[in-house]
Amino acid sequence: VEYYHSKSFNDKKLVFLASKTTCKDCWRQILNEADKIKEKHLFTLQQGISKNQLTEMSKYGVRLVVPKPYIKSFPSEFREKIYSLDNFISFVSSKVS
């Protein structure tokens, strides 16, 4: 919170992760949170979200984070854009260094 509100801290090092058991339309709730952070990450246990919903989420800068075995339940053209929890941790670690 301190870094988020600091005017001197590099905003590009900030990361936002929300968590929802299912996405449905609930994913929209995170859009107004952490306005300084353009790409928002959403951890979910929901599998097989529709192409339309995934396209819309991407349009609003929301990247899914799911358990690695769940990635195969998503349309193939979206799988590379979805992070496993391990991918997300690596992404966060890269922000620190």
Side-chain angles (χ1 to χ4, degrees), residues 25-70:
D25 287 325
C26 297
W27 67 269
R28 296 175 196 280
Q29 295 170 348
I30 72 168
L31 297 178
N32 295 325
E33 299 174 13
D35 290 334
K36 289 174 78 171
I37 303 170
K38 292 187 188 258
E39 182 181 53
K40 297 175 185 347
H41 296 83
L42 175 60
F43 182 78
T44 187
L45 297 175
Q46 182 177 345
Q47 297 182 54
I49 298 169
S50 73
K51 290 180 182 182
N52 289 343
Q53 191 171 14
L54 290 167
T55 298
E56 191 172 3
M57 292 168 81
S58 179
K59 174 182 163 187
Y60 285 98
V62 176
R63 181 187 291 255
L64 285 181
V65 179
V66 300
K68 188 174 185 174
Y70 289 19

Side-chain angles (χ1 to χ4, degrees), residues 2-40:
E2 179 183 339
Y3 291 135
Y4 181 84
H5 292 290
S6 171
K7 293 188 188 306
S8 62
F9 189 78
N10 182 354
D11 291 352
K12 292 181 182 183
K13 290 190 171 218
L14 296 171
V15 177
F16 176 84
L17 176 67
S19 176
K20 303 274 183 201
T21 304
T22 61
C23 292
K24 298 184 183 175
D25 287 325
C26 297
W27 67 269
R28 296 175 196 280
Q29 295 170 348
I30 72 168
L31 297 178
N32 295 325
E33 299 174 13
D35 290 334
K36 289 174 78 171
I37 303 170
K38 292 187 188 258
E39 182 181 53
K40 297 175 185 347

